Amino acid sequence: MKLSELSRRDWFKNVGLGLGAAAVGASVSQDANADFVTKKAAQPGTEYTGKDAVPCTLSDGKVSRPASVIPTISETDVLVVGGGPAGCCAAIAAARAGVKVTLVERYNHFGGLATGGLVLIILGHWTTNKAGEKVQVVQGIGEEMMKRLEGLPNGICNRNFGRNPTIDAEVYKYLLVEMLMESNIELFLHSWAIDAIVDDSPDAKTGNPVVKGAVIQTKLGPQAILAKQVIDTTGDGDVFAYAGCAYTRRLYHIGLPCRLGNTDKIHVEPGTKVPYIGDITPIKGVRWLNMQGPDADGLDVRELTKLELNSRRQIWKNYINLKNTPGCEDVFLMETAPQLGVRITRVLEGTEEMTLEGAKAGQTFDSCVGYGGAWQGDHIGWQIPYGALISKNVENILTGGRSICGAPSMSELLRVIPNCWSSGHSAGVAAACAVKQNCTARDVNLNEVRRVLKEQGAYLG
Ligand SMILES: Cc1cc2nc3c(=O)[nH]c(=O)nc-3n(C[C@H](O)[C@H](O)[C@H](O)COP(=O)(O)OP(=O)(O)OC[C@H]3O[C@@H](n4cnc5c(N)ncnc54)[C@H](O)[C@@H]3O)c2cc1C
């Protein structure tokens, strides 16, 4: 029988999906569904039922949360919270170093601002050394990701010596699923970290609180994940803030990138002034537009809402202006970023701080565990000290990505995607080594961390 002759019910029966799968459509193969593991409705002890619910109370105009026992959903060696560029590298690195890893992400995909934020150009993995030669300093897992994107349709363009390539958000989302699953990482999407778990006894040596995991908010209420080491790669330092780590709070530009389609169909008369159409992407006719936006507080929900609304109005206005330009009628607004572009919010107070002056002068650190590059590859690279990844006053919590310890002057450099890959990679290896050495993250043997990083292809200068 031809496919066209099958009834809808017969078709689903034939491919083994059943009618329940109708919503996902005919393009989902049986194989893709083979991984579904949830066969029972609820796992005992992991779910709030009506009788266990402990709602907040309102008393004298103040809302309070009564004490309640939170079910533990998982126990792991290294818990990584936040699945952006830094978190994915951290999780993969730790898993490759041989420990059990759990990665938590609030949204439905991995990649953070590089996917959900539609930040598509990869700036900062090149440098110019003192001899005037171009050197690619971000290697390791970040470089592996770019290589693998090259092998996927429309994955990456402009990947030439000394240039800054541009990636496709959907291809990168897919690649991350593959790389995280290959590494046997326990993954939780749709899970928003809402608290840190701290041991009731302080560390015997330093007297500091010791982090033991995080609480995530799920549809079944809060659930606990216990861990020997926690890496906060939320970009905003949510978990290290909940754990009581010292940090500084910064305001920075917040904008909303978008993508336009059919830009290859623009045919204007000579002399026509065409509004800005953004930069090329790996997809023919699709361009992405970055947005700088105002300096604002990326932690304030009223401010975030206002920025989101204003940015959408601005994008629409610009789009209509473009579409009304003779010769640009076929252009369409393909997508606004599902996630607002928050650049910097909380920055950890570590035990060592990087500065732009030091980075450009070639400052060295005995604790070097990573290397970062220049925005446009136009100056020398800089060392990432281990002290930029660990808290000065709390044990067993590390950070990677845009929240690592750096002076305000350093923010521009340490937040670009390859440098987040690099610091995330270092945090992942360090956390895994601490688990294996059965010590705190502060006391980890850095020679061993560097050995494993090099084994994993990282560049350390
Ligand atoms: C508008 C804009 C333009 C930029 N332009 C460029 C550019 O051209 N080139 C470049 O290289 N870089 C650019 N950047 C910088 C770069 O995109 C980011 O700094 C980089 O993605 C940061 O990586 P990260 O992993 O540290 O954090 P993020 O990418 O922010 O990832 C953090 C992840 O954690 C998740 N998360 C957050 N809070 C929680 C929570 N409580 N619980 C669970 N999950 C959580 C988020 O959903 C996200 O997936 C730009 C940034 C912006 C905003």
Side-chain angles (χ1 to χ4, degrees), residues 81-87 104-107 111-114 119 121-123 191-193 233-236 238 255 257 288 290-291 339 341-343 400-402 415-418 420:
V81 185
V104 166
E105 166 56 44
R106 64 180 161 168
Y107 292 142
L113 288 166
V119 172
I121 191 163
I122 307 293
L123 302 173
S191 306
W192 193 300
T233 42
T234 60
D236 297 318
D238 290 4
W288 80 283
N290 203 343
M291 185 195 272
Q339 178 179 338
V342 174
R343 288 173 170 90
R402 60 188 169 90
R415 74 183 180 84
V416 286
I417 292 164
C420 292

Side-chain angles (χ1 to χ4, degrees), residues 85-86 114 119 121-126 138 164 343-344 372-376 382 401-402 410-423:
V119 172
I121 191 163
I122 307 293
L123 302 173
H125 53 303
W126 290 99
V138 176
N164 296 315
R343 288 173 170 90
I344 296 276
W375 247 65
Q376 296 295 345
W382 41 280
R402 60 188 169 90
M410 196 58 195
S411 293
E412 279 299 319
L413 274 186
L414 57 81
R415 74 183 180 84
V416 286
I417 292 164
N419 297 335
C420 292
W421 284 335
S422 190
S423 58

Side-chain angles (χ1 to χ4, degrees), residues 163-238:
R163 286 190 77 177
N164 296 315
T166 299
I167 61 168
D168 179 75
E170 290 306 319
V171 183
Y172 190 35
K173 281 183 199 169
Y174 163 71
L175 174 68
L176 290 174
V177 169
E178 289 296 333
M179 290 183 74
L180 293 165
M181 289 180 74
E182 278 165 20
S183 304
N184 283 324
I185 294 164
E186 180 184 42
L187 302 170
F188 290 105
L189 291 166
H190 306 285
S191 306
W192 193 300
I194 51 160
D195 218 334
I197 301 167
V198 174
D199 203 303
D200 58 3
S201 315
D203 181 60
K205 193 167 149 195
T206 59
N208 290 335
V210 183
V211 173
K212 289 284 181 182
V215 177
I216 55 173
Q217 185 66 29
T218 74
K219 282 287 182 184
L220 293 176
Q223 314 224 31
I225 300 177
L226 299 177
K228 293 176 183 152
Q229 297 290 335
V230 174
I231 306 177
D232 181 342
T233 42
T234 60
D236 297 318
D238 290 4

Side-chain angles (χ1 to χ4, degrees), residues 265-305:
K265 304 225 165 79
I266 293 177
H267 301 293
V268 293
E269 295 294 326
T272 308
K273 199 166 178 304
V274 178
Y276 178 60
I277 57 162
D279 296 314
I280 63 154
T281 73
I283 306 174
K284 186 169 174 272
V286 174
R287 287 185 165 247
W288 80 283
L289 288 83
N290 203 343
M291 185 195 272
Q292 188 170 40
D295 281 357
D297 183 354
L299 300 178
D300 178 331
V301 72
R302 283 188 194 279
E303 209 143 309
L304 289 171
T305 306

